[in-house]
Amino acid sequence: MTLKTIAESLGVSVKTVSRALAGKDSVGEELRSRIRAEAERLGYVPNSMARSLVSGAAMTLGMVITHPANPFYALLISAVEERCRANGYSLLLMVTEEDLETEREAAEALLRWGVDGAVVIPVQEGAEHWQRLRDSGVPIVLVNRGLDGFECDFVGVDHERGAHEAVSHLIDTGASAVYLLEEDVPFSSAADRRAGFHRALAERGLPVHDGTVMLVPPSVRGRRVQPWEPGAAYECAQQLVSGIEPGAAVLTGSDYFALGLYRALSERGIDVPGQVTVIGHGDLPFAAYLQPALASVRPPADDIGARAADLLFERIQGSTAPASNIYLAPELRIRASAGGDD
């Protein structure tokens, strides 16, 4: 079915049909309703390629993420895709698996596809390829991780605030010492969590000593980095819990790390939360169903995805405002592992 088919069926011009389906004011409401009803009856689907040729826009956003298995990124994708649908755009998704060369290839592919804008979670090992994409006229919004020396819109989680709030809660509810089980990666998100952890300890006068912060090495399979491995966290946690004192608390950089910690504590006969309290990060779907239910720092993934897409559409529509740097606060979900009721 084409615009001409609808026009012939109703005895109107192709231009009138086109204006009506595009929502132009030059077509009366009664005629617009008739045209839309006929288009639906005939099963008309707009030709997005033809529309792109007319408008000079691809009507497509690119989105580059690092790990499709990360539930946080899954929520981001859904939020961005929802905004795309509302604006008549399609979403082209690419995955880098934390590999710089794959990320460069993704940037080149977005340039070849001629996308109108890109939402990017960068590997954080270089910005030249993203600069080249932006220099071609494609606006970029970075999500969750910044890039040094690359000035563009950014929307992310206030990881420093989330860790600070979690540690403050643990201390305020009686923890005599607090440990951090964090991923050993050069990403700003992990660095911000460490900063919040240290700030909370300093404010309340708790010491930092060897073993206070334990870094979980990511697993590497070929060129792919696999973070958030419960097994790797379990190995680190075994060392941590061997000398942990009753009344201590542990903050983990991921709920997956909390799984490994739970096993290490259980094998030592250490009760959670009776002897050690625990808070994770991510508030993944399984957190509330562990025994005891895991307290966790919940990132506002939906809001971040929506804000990132909205910023991108503003740039596509011609906004020349200074680059935004937006940090959204996470929510601390207190459950039984940190003294909560559930």
Side-chain angles (χ1 to χ4, degrees):
M1 292 298 121
T2 65
L3 295 179
K4 184 179 180 182
T5 309
I6 301 169
E8 289 176 347
S9 175
L10 295 174
V12 297
S13 70
V14 173
K15 272 189 176 180
T16 298
V17 173
S18 177
R19 288 170 180 160
L21 295 179
K24 303 292 185 182
D25 293 337
S26 56
V27 181
E29 187 58 42
E30 188 273 336
L31 180 55
R32 182 186 292 113
S33 297
R34 285 175 53 214
I35 290 172
R36 286 178 175 172
E38 186 67 3
E40 184 175 349
R41 185 185 74 81
L42 293 173
Y44 170 74
V45 177
N47 186 321
S48 58
M49 184 174 291
R51 182 175 59 175
S52 297
L53 291 172
V54 172
S55 67
M59 305 301 290
T60 300
L61 296 189
M63 186 169 185
V64 181
I65 66 170
T66 54
H67 287 284
N70 187 336
F72 172 72
Y73 293 160
L75 292 172
L76 279 178
I77 294 167
S78 294
V80 173
E81 198 279 332
E82 183 179 344
R83 283 295 201 269
C84 284
R85 218 174 330 117
N87 285 276
Y89 276 65
S90 299
L91 183 65
L92 175 64
L93 179 65
M94 310 195 81
V95 178
T96 65
E97 300 282 2
E98 301 288 7
D99 179 68
L100 181 59
E101 187 55 39
T102 303
E103 182 178 89
R104 289 190 180 120
E105 293 169 1
E108 291 297 324
L110 295 180
L111 188 58
R112 289 196 307 271
W113 277 92
V115 297
D116 299 299
V119 175
V120 175
I121 300 168
V123 174
Q124 289 192 301
E125 292 184 32
E128 300 83 3
H129 43 293
W130 298 123
Q131 186 65 56
R132 192 159 52 250
L133 182 65
R134 196 176 65 174
D135 288 345
S136 74
V138 178
I140 296 172
V141 177
L142 297 180
V143 171
N144 210 38
R145 302 175 185 173
L147 281 173
D148 290 338
F150 185 63
E151 192 71 22
C152 74
D153 293 312
F154 170 88
V155 184
V157 183
D158 191 342
H159 290 287
E160 197 272 350
R161 175 175 174 175
H164 178 272
E165 186 176 346
V167 174
S168 297
H169 170 82
L170 291 169
I171 298 172
D172 292 344
T173 53
S176 56
V178 184
Y179 297 87
L180 176 64
L181 196 61
E182 180 58 89
E183 53 185 333
D184 187 11
V185 290
F187 303 145
S188 57
S189 52
D192 290 345
R193 284 193 295 268
R194 288 196 294 271
F197 173 84
H198 285 293
R199 181 163 70 90
L201 291 185
E203 288 175 353
R204 285 158 174 79
L206 289 187
V208 176
H209 50 76
D210 290 344
T212 296
V213 176
M214 299 203 69
L215 299 179
V216 181
S219 300
V220 179
R221 298 172 187 167
R223 292 196 310 175
R224 298 181 176 182
V225 176
Q226 302 289 330
W228 325 298
E229 288 280 351
Y234 166 69
E235 293 177 6
C236 286
Q238 284 179 306
Q239 180 181 345
L240 171 63
V241 304
S242 64
I244 201 166
E245 63 276 19
V250 183
L251 175 68
T252 69
S254 164
D255 287 349
Y256 288 117
F257 290 174
L259 291 178
L261 176 64
Y262 265 34
R263 177 176 174 181
L265 290 168
S266 176
E267 289 177 350
R268 288 265 175 176
I270 299 173
D271 178 67
V272 178
Q275 294 171 281
V276 172
T277 51
V278 179
I279 295 180
H281 264 89
D283 196 31
L284 301 180
F286 62 76
Y289 297 94
L290 294 178
Q291 184 59 40
L294 177 66
S296 189
V297 180
R298 181 181 180 84
D302 292 334
D303 291 341
I304 289 172
R307 291 289 290 274
D310 289 345
L311 275 174
L312 204 51
F313 282 121
E314 289 174 13
R315 295 297 181 191
I316 291 170
Q317 292 160 11
S319 171
T320 57
S324 298
N325 202 32
I326 301 170
Y327 288 87
L328 300 183
E331 178 187 357
L332 179 57
R333 296 284 183 90
I334 297 302
R335 299 192 179 97
S337 70
D341 295 329
D342 59 345

